[in-house]
Amino acid sequence: MAAIKVEDISHPPMDQLQGLDYCIHSSPSWVETIALGFQHYILALGTAVMIPSMLVPLMGGNDGDKVRVVQTLLFVEGINTLVQTLFGTRLPTVIGGSYAFMVPIMSIIHDPNLAMIEDPQLRFLSTMKAVQGALIVASSIQIILGFSQIWAICSRFFSPLGMVPVIALVGFGLFDRGFVLVGDCVEIGIPMLILFTVISQYLKNFHIRQQPILERFALLISTIVIWVYADLLTAVGAYKHRNQVTQHSCRTDRANLISSAPWIKIPYPLEWGAPTFNASHCFGTVAAVLVSLVESTAAYKAASRLASATPPPAHVLSRGIGWQGIGTLLNGMFGTLTGSTVSVENVGLLGSTRIGSRRVIQVSAGFMIFFSMLGKFGALFASIPFPIFAAVYCVLFGLVASVGLSFLQFTNMNSMRNLFITGVALFLGLSVPEYFREYTAKAGHGPSHTRAGWFNDFLNTIFFSSPTVALIIAVFLDNTLEYKNSARDRGMPWWARFRAFKEDGRNVEFYSLPFNLDRFFPPS
């Protein structure tokens, strides 16, 4: 038997992910671009509908209030996405709502001074204005960290090894929004999961006019098929005698979005009234801003790989965080009940379609703005049952997580040091937030339960986030545990080329500002 060659059993590390049809600065035809942009818009609806649907009823709001918040959130998402793709990191990322803000906003909702208001509509408006004030104040943290380049300095302590658990847990840490929610309506969730996987993977080589239509539009095709199927089940009365939770998850006529939505409505700042400001509300929201900053940093690095770009240089990453802070400020001004972050599911869709085009995402932002103003049409698409989205999340979140694991190729995984750091950060990144979630479910409050409510909100928000816990542990261990002689094992020689903008010529191609604005804001 012939001797086995090293090149036959190993694969050399690659700076850019191979196999994409279109990368960050290339685009398919305009017809395909528009259709792909609409597909990203459909996917973004899941979070945009879910967050207001959870929070507005707790605040005393009615169906009309919920629809207005959904419209406002989509409108601001569209603006933030356009701004980020033009002036931020310039990566093909959708900027959506963040679940990281749920803990502090729930704390604001249960504030005794607000909860005691008897009139539901007045309580809704008062709570909305309190949330707006907290978001406006907290956004300043991201703006300062981003535009001052402080986050760029912080990112110099990151290595490929340290980023592996952080990026991986941006996907894995969202497991509670995957099959857990598919199980709320297995009749449509499981068929959606199977159909989307079959079309996007097993039938991806089936071409129509030499185009991989099924691979590129698997989400759109499977969503339409299962949505029609769910509508038929609703029409024939399959859920008439089921419990309320099942009916709410499965039926296509329970969202009350279409009937409550106006035909035309243009969201505008301070629509709910002048924001109110409370110091204790702001501290918890500041923690959520820090969490969204960490999660977005990981998502930007994943998006750069799925768009076949180089890792974003430190100053580009910091610039994107600064504009994300502007986005959270807009969230507060308009009243969206959440701050801004990178939509992880849309990052995953880049890999599923193998199209990382920036223009596609900009078109999707146009759909968000357009349909948020045409209330009835936007509400029609927003009435898609959430288990359909949850089924897709099972695939897309896993895809993003695997991108994080792919950074291991730049490190030495025969090192016990690296194995220790990776394993501990991954395990605790999953285990610590799960402890916080279970404790809260049983006790009705988080593990941090002192008399200082602002302190409780801050700690509980931080440790509810898997990527944030992983960042704290991985970066600390990576920079303190035998770090002086471990640069090569950590992957630093590869990573160093992408820290500064001018170190690699491809950075100019991917991350330069449009309209020759680099003359006024020279890259570092």
Side-chain angles (χ1 to χ4, degrees):
M1 181 177 177
I4 299 175
K5 299 179 181 179
V6 174
E7 55 267 26
D8 292 335
I9 59 174
S10 63
H11 303 277
M14 292 186 176
D15 293 344
Q16 296 171 260
L17 195 65
Q18 305 298 301
L20 272 75
D21 292 333
Y22 296 93
C23 64
I24 187 171
H25 52 63
S26 60
S27 303
S29 67
W30 270 109
V31 173
E32 278 192 86
T33 296
I34 291 171
L36 288 163
F38 183 73
Q39 187 170 237
H40 275 276
Y41 159 73
I42 291 293
L43 184 59
L45 284 174
T47 300
V49 174
M50 190 67 172
I51 291 177
S53 296
M54 294 169 62
L55 295 177
V56 171
L58 298 176
M59 297 163 61
N62 53 36
D63 289 335
D65 297 321
K66 180 171 68 176
V67 168
R68 289 169 66 193
V69 176
V70 170
Q71 286 181 273
T72 303
L73 179 53
L74 281 170
F75 184 80
V76 176
E77 280 185 12
I79 294 174
N80 288 340
T81 300
L82 277 178
V83 169
Q84 189 64 236
T85 54
L86 284 171
F87 308 114
T89 61
R90 306 216 70 212
L91 287 166
T93 51
V94 170
I95 306 301
S98 172
Y99 285 94
F101 291 82
M102 293 292 286
V103 173
I105 290 176
M106 288 294 289
S107 180
I108 294 173
I109 291 173
H110 292 111
D111 186 316
N113 294 325
L114 296 170
M116 65 184 297
I117 300 174
E118 295 183 359
D119 182 10
Q121 188 63 26
L122 181 59
R123 176 157 54 90
F124 168 76
L125 292 174
S126 300
T127 307
M128 172 63 82
K129 289 185 283 189
V131 172
Q132 286 183 268
L135 288 172
I136 290 171
V137 172
S139 67
S140 62
I141 301 298
Q142 267 186 335
I143 294 172
I144 293 170
L145 289 176
F147 290 127
S148 68
Q149 292 296 308
I150 292 176
W151 190 242
I153 297 172
C154 294
S155 69
R156 296 185 182 277
F157 292 95
F158 304 161
S159 71
L161 180 71
M163 283 290 101
V164 166
V166 184
I167 301 172
L169 290 184
V170 164
F172 289 146
L174 297 172
F175 66 88
D176 58 331
R177 272 164 254 161
F179 201 83
V180 175
L181 296 177
V182 170
D184 288 341
C185 187
V186 294
E187 298 94 324
I188 61 176
I190 291 180
M192 179 65 186
L193 176 58
I194 294 172
L195 185 62
F196 178 68
T197 303
V198 169
I199 293 176
S200 66
Q201 300 302 316
Y202 290 94
L203 300 180
K204 64 182 179 182
N205 293 321
F206 180 79
H207 290 196
I208 298 176
R209 294 184 178 180
Q210 299 182 334
Q211 296 295 326
I213 299 298
L214 294 183
E215 180 184 34
R216 292 182 184 175
F217 299 102
L219 173 66
L220 203 56
I221 295 168
S222 55
T223 297
I224 292 173
V225 171
I226 301 300
W227 190 15
V228 171
Y229 168 62
D231 200 45
L232 289 174
L233 290 178
T234 300
V236 300
Y239 305 110
K240 278 187 178 180
H241 305 294
R242 303 289 292 274
N243 60 58
Q244 289 298 316
V245 174
T246 301
Q247 291 200 33
H248 181 76
S249 299
C250 298
R251 294 180 67 110
T252 57
D253 58 356
R254 280 301 177 95
N256 295 327
L257 293 175
I258 300 175
S259 59
S260 304
W263 281 102
I264 297 178
K265 175 73 170 61
I266 301 177
Y268 56 90
L270 307 182
E271 179 179 353
W272 313 97
T276 58
F277 300 91
N278 183 296
S280 63
H281 295 165
C282 296
F283 274 101
T285 314
V286 165
V289 162
L290 294 175
V291 167
S292 72
L293 180 152
V294 171
E295 293 175 350
S296 293
T297 297
Y300 285 135
K301 292 185 181 297
S304 68
R305 195 144 182 82
L306 290 174
S308 196
T310 54
H315 99 279
V316 171
L317 191 62
S318 198
R319 184 177 73 195
I321 294 300
W323 280 108
Q324 190 175 312
I326 298 292
T328 300
L329 176 62
L330 291 177
N331 286 123
M333 295 293 291
F334 279 82
T336 62
L337 289 181
T338 184
S340 62
T341 192
V342 176
S343 173
V344 177
E345 54 267 34
N346 288 88
V347 172
L349 189 58
L350 299 177
S352 177
T353 59
R354 294 197 296 134
I355 294 179
S357 169
R358 181 190 296 129
R359 184 183 295 171
V360 167
I361 301 301
Q362 291 170 339
V363 168
S364 75
F367 278 115
M368 293 177 201
I369 296 172
F370 180 73
F371 283 116
S372 66
M373 294 187 290
L374 295 180
K376 294 289 186 185
F377 292 100
L380 172 65
F381 299 120
S383 65
I384 299 172
F386 195 77
I388 290 179
F389 293 109
V392 178
Y393 293 168
C394 292
V395 176
L396 302 184
F397 288 162
L399 184 55
V400 173
S402 67
V403 172
L405 297 178
S406 74
F407 277 79
L408 289 173
Q409 67 185 298
F410 307 112
T411 68
N412 177 18
M413 291 313 291
N414 290 315
S415 162
M416 282 302 301
R417 171 193 182 275
N418 288 4
L419 291 173
F420 176 84
I421 293 172
T422 304
V424 170
L426 280 170
F427 184 84
L428 290 180
L430 286 170
S431 189
V432 171
E434 184 62 20
Y435 164 72
F436 271 71
R437 277 190 286 266
E438 288 193 8
Y439 190 104
T440 302
K442 293 176 181 177
H445 56 77
S448 178
H449 188 57
T450 67
R451 293 183 179 179
W454 62 269
F455 179 77
N456 301 333
D457 291 343
F458 191 93
L459 280 188
N460 291 331
T461 300
I462 292 291
F463 290 103
F464 257 89
S465 167
S466 290
T468 307
V469 173
L471 179 82
I472 294 170
I473 296 171
V475 173
F476 175 78
L477 292 176
D478 192 35
N479 286 277
T480 58
L481 188 62
E482 303 174 11
Y483 72 96
K484 289 185 178 180
N485 301 317
S486 303
R488 185 177 178 185
D489 287 350
R490 300 164 65 201
M492 294 306 291
W494 172 79
W495 192 268
R497 291 184 297 141
F498 306 111
R499 281 183 169 183
F501 190 83
K502 297 179 181 178
E503 288 294 322
D504 193 296
R506 291 169 293 180
N507 291 334
V508 177
E509 181 183 1
F510 297 135
Y511 300 113
S512 291
L513 291 173
F515 316 121
N516 208 18
L517 289 175
D518 284 320
R519 291 182 304 168
F520 307 102
F521 305 99
S524 56

